[in-house]
Amino acid sequence: MSIKDIIQQENQEFYTAEFLQVKNWMTPNPYCIRLGQTLRAAGEMMEQLKIDSLPVIDDNDQLIGLLTLKKLFSYFLHGKENVKLIHCIKRNVKAVRPTDSILSTAPLPYEQLLVVDECKKVVGILSLRDMMDAYCKLVHRLQQKENTADVLRAILESAYEGIAVVDQYGVLLEFNEAYSRFTGIQRADAIGRHVAEVIDNTHLHITVKTGIPERGVIQNIQGQDMVVHRIPIWNEGKVTGAIGMLIFEGVSEVYKIYETLHKGHVRGKKRQSFSLKQEDSRMTLDQIIGVSEEISKVKRIARKAARTTATVLITGESGTGKEMFAKSIHHLSPHSSGPFISVNCGAIPEPLFESELFGYEEGAFTGAKRGGKQGKLELAHNGTILLDEIGEMPLVMQTKLLRVLQEKEAERVGGVQKYRVNVRIIAATNRDLREMMNEGLFREDLYYRLNVIQLHVPPLRKRRKDIPILLSYYLKKLCEKYQLQEKHVTSAAVSSFIRHDWKGNIREMINTIEQLVTLVEGNIIDVHHLPEMMKEKSTALVTNNDLKDTQAISVIQEAKNIGKQKEKEMIIKVLKEAGGSKKKAAEMLGIHRTTLYQKLKKYNIR
């Protein structure tokens, strides 16, 4: 069954629900007149009961026909009041069953409908007012259902955790934005497909079959271990679907939670398993904070790059977190069991560069250490080396590094024997290497050797959606660092953080938060506490994404305005039909009188 068929089936079930059956809206046990009585008797009965029609039944209480006030009046004008009913009734009467849907009565051109059971006995009568009451309550329920769907959609899309919902066939019904960012698969492309085609190593379709929930299980998605929940959805004793949730973006989150608990229970004792150094070496992509599409895209590329041993070139402005991505790639790569060595090419004097990178033999130069010294490449054997600020590397060293990449061999300064190099190389820079190539400052052949997989980390101003999350995280972390009571930031101050351009990116932002945490006396950080540069009105250009968001908000607002206008028109129409009676109008609309008064005030209806 396709997703379209499932939706149609759900709609069909809604419209045939017991709520809409005629028996819930008809007037039960209506007054009837028996066959054989006169028109005068029927007229007196109508006059006494204040009704304009009478069902006519036989001695077995079965429906024969209907006598209307219009027909009765016609016979009275011709002096036939003593004529018996058998000659005057309308026999071709449309009747409905108690279990019929009220919606099936809409096309029928009758102001009243008789309701009969299987034995053709009259059990009720359905007036036009009864039908209107049912339709008004139906509209109200549909509005409630639509509002509930909007709320659920908002919850799904605002959740940081990935959430996927499947039906009893394993077909995806929901696939929220967080899951979409993580996998790189658009929601529109995911919904309607089998979950196994979209999510790696999923068991959601198996959860539907077994009905057994799985909590906190490990699932490998795109080469990274995740902690997930799989929860079956039960309805009337049957499993009708299942929900899958990414509780953590990676297993390292569990390590952090464990460490927090461990710290609380074993204060003052030396930790055996989770030292600060080990936490740093276990840097993973889930520890890189951000939910924006820009950073999620970089994470996806990094996961794919980590599966291989190919050389990676990470570009981006200073302070964007290039080293964090390098450590994450190392942790997820085949070299994860080996060391991670970082070399800042801009911090090593040019005469010492070769010996630092390749090492030196004893007596290689004046002041050389006895026994020689291993270089960074040797220390990184079977692991990963990060050549940070690769644009600062001297040209001579660029040539030697190129030979290492080509031959997988290196030689110490003053040495005569080469040693094998089994190292994954990751380079990072905040400079434009292409422009440096044109100026003759960077070797073209080395650039193409390094640029096998390029990873560009966007600046913070290009992913403003992540700023509130980063602010919250580092505010809490720095308060804990200085053992201060947790501080909070006002919404106006958060807005200033979002508007600021952050030329120094996350590094600048952390320094600003640290300044505020240490200098602000109270627990509330407001706009007047911020540095002067942040108080100035931002002149940054609006990005395309901002424009799209604004357009989307405009469309939603327009839809809401149309809905309000329709509601206002409907209330005015029903008020007119009710002759201005608010009590009657509230009943016809299927709402409480107080609610109607509120809506009258809201729409200024008099």
Side-chain angles (χ1 to χ4, degrees), residues 90-108:
K90 182 180 179 181
R91 293 180 179 272
N92 187 22
V93 177
K94 180 64 178 176
V96 294
R97 297 289 178 87
T99 54
D100 288 347
S101 171
I102 195 77
L103 297 176
S104 65
T105 65
L108 301 176

Side-chain angles (χ1 to χ4, degrees), residues 93-330:
V93 177
K94 180 64 178 176
V96 294
R97 297 289 178 87
T99 54
D100 288 347
S101 171
I102 195 77
L103 297 176
S104 65
T105 65
L108 301 176
Y110 302 105
E111 293 187 0
Q112 293 188 77
L113 291 169
L114 295 176
V115 186
V116 298
D117 61 14
E118 293 177 354
C119 300
K120 293 188 178 180
K121 291 183 179 181
V122 179
V123 294
I125 190 166
L126 192 69
S127 67
L128 186 60
R129 179 167 291 182
D130 294 331
M131 294 183 225
M132 283 294 295
D133 190 27
Y135 297 150
C136 288
K137 284 187 170 61
L138 173 61
V139 170
H140 181 62
R141 279 206 174 191
L142 285 170
Q143 287 174 339
Q144 285 183 320
K145 187 177 181 183
E146 185 179 350
N147 292 339
T148 303
D150 289 341
V151 170
L152 289 174
R153 166 57 44 200
I155 291 170
L156 283 172
E157 292 310 323
S158 61
Y160 294 146
E161 295 84 2
I163 299 174
V165 183
V166 300
D167 64 9
Q168 65 266 41
Y169 305 102
V171 176
L172 280 164
L173 298 175
E174 278 299 340
F175 192 76
N176 75 337
E177 187 183 345
Y179 231 136
S180 178
R181 285 195 303 266
F182 182 77
T183 60
I185 299 172
Q186 295 299 316
R187 178 177 179 272
D189 297 331
I191 289 179
R193 292 169 62 188
H194 194 275
V195 65
E197 299 176 16
V198 179
I199 303 173
D200 294 346
N201 304 310
T202 183
H203 284 190
L204 265 186
H205 54 301
I206 298 172
T207 302
V208 172
K209 292 178 182 178
T210 62
I212 300 172
E214 296 179 283
R215 298 178 183 275
V217 296
I218 304 298
Q219 178 179 332
N220 189 280
I221 305 176
Q222 293 194 346
Q224 185 168 346
D225 287 338
M226 303 290 178
V227 181
V228 301
H229 285 348
R230 303 184 187 111
I231 306 164
I233 301 170
W234 291 85
N235 186 17
E236 297 180 357
K238 292 173 63 179
V239 178
T240 57
I243 301 173
M245 298 178 67
L246 285 177
I247 302 305
F248 307 103
E249 268 201 18
V251 179
S252 61
E253 289 288 339
V254 182
Y255 299 147
K256 288 197 289 185
I257 292 170
Y258 178 84
E259 184 181 357
T260 303
L261 293 172
H262 193 66
K263 237 194 299 188
H265 289 292
V266 197
R267 290 188 180 278
K269 292 184 180 181
K270 184 179 179 181
R271 288 180 294 172
Q272 298 176 354
S273 302
F274 296 95
S275 67
L276 182 62
K277 185 177 179 181
Q278 184 174 358
E279 181 186 348
D280 187 59
S281 67
R282 292 190 63 86
M283 176 70 67
T284 55
L285 289 171
D286 54 282
Q287 291 173 266
I288 298 173
I289 300 167
V291 296
S292 64
E293 175 58 33
E294 292 80 8
I295 202 67
S296 297
K297 183 179 178 182
V298 181
K299 286 184 181 183
R300 287 197 297 272
I301 298 171
R303 282 191 196 93
K304 293 176 182 177
R307 298 176 194 171
T308 70
T309 58
T311 307
V312 179
L313 176 62
I314 304 176
T315 60
E317 295 178 7
S318 179
T320 52
K322 296 186 291 296
E323 186 169 351
M324 292 180 72
F325 274 99
K327 289 180 179 179
S328 301
I329 291 170
H330 164 71

